Amino acid sequence: MPNDHDQFTYHFRELYPKLCRFLEGLVGKSACAHDLAQETMLRLFQQSDLIPAEEIRFWVFRVARNLALNELERQRTRSKLSGWVVSLFGSPPRTPEVELVQKEETKLVFSLIGRLPDHQRAALLLREQEEMSYSEIAHVLGVTESKVKIDLFRARMVLREQLIQARHPQNQEHPPARKGAAQ
């Protein structure tokens, strides 16, 4: 039995911080993310003897995702992304003006990511935050690699378009004038 305890301790130390980051990205609330991560680890503790060692990482992220989706369904909340969004803007700010702009950009990206469908948001978080491969993401989400690639492509395209629109609202295309209208 001590071997099982040592295995669980190893998996807990290895996966718990990653789960918290992942879940925080999905549910947006740190306390809720930690609760869901703890629930996931409790389920792992209860069922670890039934899960092949090579499947534990995937199983844990799959269970965590399902718990998060259930929580989102109950609360109808949207997610926020922390570290990954900040990393989009490169090195730490050097001036107060740059810092202010980055904070505004971060808030904007948070809100845009929160608008993504759950499956796209989960794939994006697993790819960008947890640095999982397409096959690993597919395994966690229970979909094909092709579906993962499509979801990531669409999520990135939507984010890019919405970010451009939000930054330059005056450049949005106006509908063409109707034929026969006075010009």
Side-chain angles (χ1 to χ4, degrees):
M1 206 63 170
N3 192 19
D4 290 342
H5 185 329
D6 292 343
Q7 277 293 93
F8 176 77
T9 302
Y10 168 78
H11 289 300
F12 184 88
R13 286 184 179 152
E14 178 70 22
L15 296 172
Y16 185 78
K18 295 175 182 182
L19 279 177
C20 289
R21 264 197 326 263
F22 173 66
L23 289 165
E24 198 169 310
L26 286 176
V27 299
K29 296 178 181 176
S30 182
C32 181
H34 285 273
D35 289 346
L36 293 173
Q38 289 174 11
E39 175 66 25
T40 302
M41 296 311 290
L42 176 63
R43 290 181 184 196
L44 174 63
F45 181 75
Q46 293 169 338
Q47 299 181 11
S48 62
D49 55 334
L50 303 175
I51 306 165
E54 64 276 1
E55 294 288 317
I56 286 179
R57 179 176 180 224
F58 303 116
W59 185 91
V60 164
F61 277 99
R62 190 176 315 118
V63 168
R65 175 185 171 262
N66 290 339
L67 289 171
L69 291 177
N70 291 342
E71 182 67 23
L72 287 171
E73 203 170 302
R74 280 192 298 275
Q75 296 181 3
R76 296 284 178 212
T77 59
R78 292 294 173 204
S79 76
K80 295 179 183 175
L81 182 59
S82 57
W84 178 72
V85 173
V86 174
S87 72
L88 285 176
F89 302 111
S91 61
R94 296 186 180 138
T95 65
E97 294 83 14
V98 171
E99 186 176 347
L100 180 62
V101 169
Q102 286 183 349
K103 284 182 182 179
E104 291 302 315
E105 293 262 329
T106 300
K107 286 180 189 176
L108 175 61
V109 174
F110 281 156
S111 69
L112 296 177
I113 289 173
R115 295 180 194 164
L116 289 173
D118 293 335
H119 60 281
Q120 290 179 1
R121 187 173 348 124
L124 187 66
L125 289 168
L126 289 170
R127 179 68 178 175
E128 299 299 337
Q129 190 174 12
E130 298 306 321
E131 299 178 351
M132 288 188 180
S133 69
Y134 296 131
S135 63
E136 290 172 327
I137 296 168
H139 197 80
V140 168
L141 301 181
V143 298
T144 65
E145 279 188 54
S146 296
K147 172 79 168 125
V148 169
K149 291 176 183 178
I150 290 168
D151 285 346
L152 287 170
F153 175 79
R154 289 180 180 164
R156 290 175 178 146
M157 289 299 297
V158 167
L159 286 175
R160 186 176 302 124
E161 290 170 8
Q162 289 180 347
L163 190 58
I164 290 169
Q165 288 177 358
R167 285 179 178 162
H168 308 289
Q170 71 278 8
N171 292 344
Q172 292 181 21
E173 292 184 25
H174 298 286
R178 291 184 295 163
K179 263 190 172 172
Q183 295 184 6

